[in-house]
Amino acid sequence: MASAATTTDVLIVGAGFAGMYMLHKLRQAGISGQVVEAGSGVGGTWFWNRYPGARVDIQSLEYSFGFDEGLQREWRWSERYAPQPELLAYADHIADHFDLRRDIRLDTRIAAATWDEAAQRWRIATDTGDGYDCRYFILATGCLSIPTEVSFPGIEDFKGSIYRTSRWPHEGTDFTGQRVGIIGTGSSAIQSIPVIAAQAAQLTVFQRTPNYSVPAHNGPIPPADLEAWERDPRGYRAASRDTVGGFQNEARTDVLATESSPEDIRAELDRRWAWGGFRLLGAFGDTAIDPAANRIIQDFIAEKIREQVADPKVADLLTPKQHYFGTKRPCVDTGYFATFNRDNVELVDLHAAPIVTFNTGGIATTARQHDFDAMVLATGFDAMTGAIDRIDIRGVGGRRIQDHWAEGPRTYLGLTVAGFPNMFTITGPGSPSVLTNMINSIEQHVEWIADCLSWLADRQMASIEATPEAEAAWCRHVAEAVTPTLLPTANSWYMGANVPGKPRMFMPYAGGLNTYTDICNQVAAKGYEGFTIRAGETILSDSREFSSHPPMPDIPAKLMPIIVERLTAAGFMPA
Ligand code: NA7
């Protein structure tokens, strides 16, 4: 393979926002990069997820890059929450504006990557038979790129059309006059159901688990936000990045729902509901930890569902009861619940009537036959690890990433993996990623990686590798950060719970983007502590420890007993 391989400093997998910004940032540092992308266009998530109603769930003013003044000034979003075509246009604009396409190869998958210890380089193989020889290997593969391989008995017999939300046809679909069925009630389904219902003759929604959804109240960008942004775009972005979630949320960590009066709670939740989107998450400091506080928000949302859905039985079925609010990423909708008031929409509760089989006409549940012209599968993703462990990645000594991650993904800082030198993950497991505004997390990762590679180049170093000790300490910290919260209690894709056989482990870092950024900066400032850095026989640094722990947050006294109990039970504090 070596003779057929193209040489580059850095091979980047994926031409979504992460891969494109990485390429641009490396070029600025004088480092050559090549992006390889499986799709036939750039845009990642926004290239693939073209289902009707697809749009971002973070306000576009914040879900956009801040690294370039010109880009910021010339791009204007048409709505608070941009729709998929506009997000894809933004991705294309970035590719053109920064002249990235000449180093992006489309329609090509990376099949394998092998670390050559002697040369301290990665040997990369594509699915077209050629390859790359590179110093650094960067996985910008996205957290929600690989659809779950759900399969239903008899699905191959179905005579109608089958669509996956995550692989929607580029030419679009026309459901006019059709009977459509949709499986799933996650974010993709909740966004597409109102749009499909408005077009199709009949829409049947097969629901296994109801989800919390808050209204987007989409429309023009709120004037106050636009003014604040226009006054000081840099300051606006910095304020977004200096938050737990990477977006401005008016978080009130010191106000507890369980200590507030019913009138104050109501006023605050009503205000946030009217504003829309994720702002509900920041209302009180105890809802992510204390079940009693979470219950208050659950009851509030249940009431909002009852207000929107005319049939009390349907409203009850649509009300989540099996997980706490916020333990799965809440959905942000436009008219979802009210869609169930339409005469042409039916809700099927899969707990009461499970699917027995697909057949030529449609779906047979234990209750009856449902006939369809088209089926939509909105059944989710093999999140966070799916796109990485489908590549045959072999590190030091030929160790496979799948083996290293057999009990769940292990990383140092969510950026690197022990035994896999010079390999970086952007928004990988162990980083805040999917708990945040992804664009801000991407910016932070790309900038940290580019700084690291420049630092190594300045010192003429050939490789950087997380030590097993630092990786173990980081994994422990990731587990410790989430343990006090309710997050691990849900069967979420954060936990790997939606993929049969996937290890159950909370994958993203729940300590907050702001805290995480501080930790990463401290690690770099200490000369990349927790890494072995070398060129051939020369070892520049071999600091095994990871000592850059965050300061203890200010925790309201009332929550301390719950937190201590959970940390003790999990072995993080002595009994
Ligand atoms: P999600 O949120 O993982 O939703 C998948 C949905 O599909 C969910 O309602 C699942 O029910 C349902 N599902 C999955 N498999 C089945 C089977 N076999 N039978 C019936 N129902 C099934 O994926 P999305 O694409 O909607 O959203 C992913 C993220 O993208 C989202 O969080 C946003 O951040 C953007 P379950 O809950 O497992 O009972």
Side-chain angles (χ1 to χ4, degrees):
M1 195 197 89
S3 59
T6 306
T7 300
T8 180
D9 291 333
V10 185
L11 192 284
I12 302 162
V13 193
F17 288 132
M20 288 201 288
Y21 181 34
M22 191 76 248
L23 175 63
H24 174 63
K25 195 77 192 159
L26 290 176
R27 278 188 191 166
Q28 285 183 325
I31 299 171
S32 74
Q34 171 70 49
V35 176
V36 175
E37 162 62 50
S40 59
V42 302
T45 283
W46 304 112
F47 174 85
W48 296 103
N49 289 272
R50 295 163 186 250
Y51 59 83
R55 63 178 70 245
V56 66
D57 61 6
I58 300 272
Q59 289 204 93
S60 297
L61 265 190
E62 296 181 85
Y63 187 89
S64 43
F65 279 127
F67 65 82
D68 185 89
E69 210 59 42
L71 176 68
Q72 293 220 96
R73 293 280 175 203
E74 71 187 38
W75 187 266
R76 282 287 174 275
W77 297 105
S78 66
E79 299 173 63
R80 280 177 81 179
Y81 299 92
Q84 175 270 335
E86 194 169 333
L87 290 153
L88 188 57
Y90 181 63
D92 276 315
H93 175 71
I94 287 167
D96 294 330
H97 183 90
F98 297 108
D99 185 25
L100 300 177
R101 293 189 198 274
R102 62 189 156 88
D103 290 322
I104 298 176
R105 178 176 168 190
L106 301 172
D107 296 310
T108 310
R109 270 185 192 280
I110 297 301
T114 306
W115 174 247
D116 181 336
E117 179 71 7
Q120 294 186 40
R121 293 182 73 83
W122 282 96
R123 314 293 185 192
I124 312 287
T126 71
D127 63 352
T128 58
D130 58 2
Y132 293 89
D133 171 348
C134 56
R135 175 80 55 208
Y136 300 102
F137 177 47
I138 300 182
L139 291 150
T141 38
C143 296
L144 298 162
S145 329
I146 303 292
T148 49
E149 289 163 9
V150 286
S151 162
F152 297 90
I155 194 162
E156 60 288 345
D157 297 333
F158 179 57
K159 294 285 181 241
S161 313
I162 297 181
Y163 302 98
R164 275 185 186 278
T165 46
S166 53
R167 294 289 180 268
W168 207 259
H170 289 200
E171 62 279 13
T173 43
D174 183 2
F175 291 127
T176 307
Q178 295 194 10
R179 298 158 304 166
V180 181
I182 182 165
I183 300 179
T185 46
S187 181
S188 303
I190 282 177
Q191 289 190 333
S192 57
I193 283 167
V195 184
I196 298 174
Q199 192 180 60
Q202 165 71 32
L203 177 66
T204 304
V205 178
F206 292 90
Q207 171 184 273
R208 196 163 63 179
T209 313
N211 255 310
Y212 296 100
S213 188
V214 288
H217 296 311
N218 194 24
I221 298 171
D225 282 64
L226 197 55
E227 277 161 29
W229 183 84
E230 280 174 343
R231 218 175 21 250
D232 178 14
R234 240 173 224 283
Y236 193 87
R237 300 242 184 242
S240 296
R241 275 175 71 153
D242 188 20
T243 57
V244 168
F247 60 96
Q248 298 181 37
N249 195 23
E250 293 186 1
R252 305 191 310 166
T253 46
D254 52 340
V255 184
L256 304 189
T258 51
E259 288 181 340
S260 303
S261 71
E263 297 74 30
D264 286 350
I265 290 172
R266 185 72 206 197
E268 185 64 18
L269 294 182
D270 272 341
R271 189 177 72 79
R272 287 174 183 259
W273 186 268
W275 201 88
F278 288 157
R279 209 154 270 203
L280 206 61
L281 285 162
F284 298 104
D286 49 355
T287 52
I289 293 172
D290 182 352
N294 197 284
R295 183 78 215 195
I296 291 170
I297 294 210
Q298 289 177 48
D299 290 346
F300 173 81
I301 295 176
E303 189 185 322
K304 291 291 180 193
I305 295 172
R306 286 194 296 274
E307 280 173 15
Q308 294 172 83
V309 180
D311 182 335
K313 279 200 201 106
V314 176
D316 186 54
L317 280 177
L318 290 167
T319 302
K321 301 182 184 80
Q322 292 171 0
H323 62 283
Y324 295 107
F325 173 69
T327 55
K328 295 181 180 181
R329 188 168 173 124
C331 306
V332 179
D333 72 271
T334 298
Y336 174 63
F337 291 111
T339 299
F340 291 90
N341 297 330
R342 296 176 64 107
D343 290 338
N344 69 333
V345 175
E346 180 190 10
L347 181 65
V348 173
D349 172 18
L350 289 178
H351 285 294
I355 293 172
V356 177
T357 185
F358 271 64
N359 48 39
T360 51
I363 287 180
T365 67
T366 51
R368 70 174 177 89
Q369 170 73 18
H370 298 262
D371 287 326
F372 299 115
D373 303 299
M375 279 303 308
V376 176
L377 303 181
T379 42
F381 299 88
D382 183 353
M384 307 206 72
T385 56
I388 299 174
D389 64 20
R390 272 169 185 70
I391 304 173
D392 183 11
I393 303 173
R394 290 164 194 258
V396 174
R399 183 166 168 76
R400 298 163 68 236
I401 192 101
Q402 292 93 334
D403 294 333
H404 191 67
W405 286 1
E407 286 165 24
R410 304 177 55 74
T411 68
Y412 179 39
L413 303 174
L415 277 160
T416 58
V417 183
F420 295 80
N422 289 6
M423 183 180 94
F424 296 88
T425 53
I426 300 181
T427 63
S431 78
S433 62
V434 289
L435 298 178
T436 70
N437 170 0
M438 290 296 275
I439 291 266
N440 279 338
S441 279
I442 285 168
E443 279 197 344
Q444 185 268 338
H445 265 190
V446 165
E447 288 158 14
W448 192 93
I449 294 169
D451 286 348
C452 175
L453 300 200
S454 295
W455 189 93
L456 294 166
D458 289 347
R459 288 159 184 77
Q460 298 181 322
M461 288 294 113
S463 74
I464 182 165
E465 178 184 355
T467 65
E469 292 85 348
E471 183 183 82
W474 181 252
C475 290
R476 185 179 156 83
H477 177 58
V478 170
E480 190 178 12
V482 78
T483 293
T485 77
L486 294 167
L487 282 161
T489 63
N491 286 324
S492 63
W493 53 258
Y494 298 147
M495 292 291 292
N498 64 329
V499 175
K502 192 163 174 170
R504 194 179 168 96
M505 168 180 161
F506 194 83
M507 294 182 283
Y509 173 60
L513 179 61
N514 44 4
T515 301
Y516 172 80
T517 302
D518 284 348
I519 294 172
C520 291
N521 291 344
Q522 283 178 45
V523 165
K526 291 179 191 165
Y528 295 95
E529 73 163 3
F531 289 99
T532 305
I533 297 166
R534 64 164 76 89
E537 299 303 308
T538 308
I539 293 184
L540 176 71
S541 152
D542 188 18
S543 81
R544 310 238 125 215
E545 299 312 315
F546 161 64
S547 63
S548 304
H549 282 292
M552 274 295 284
D554 289 333
I555 295 168
K558 189 175 180 197
L559 296 177
M560 279 314 281
I562 304 178
I563 291 173
V564 169
E565 187 194 321
R566 290 192 191 138
L567 287 172
T568 307
F572 291 108
M573 289 179 83

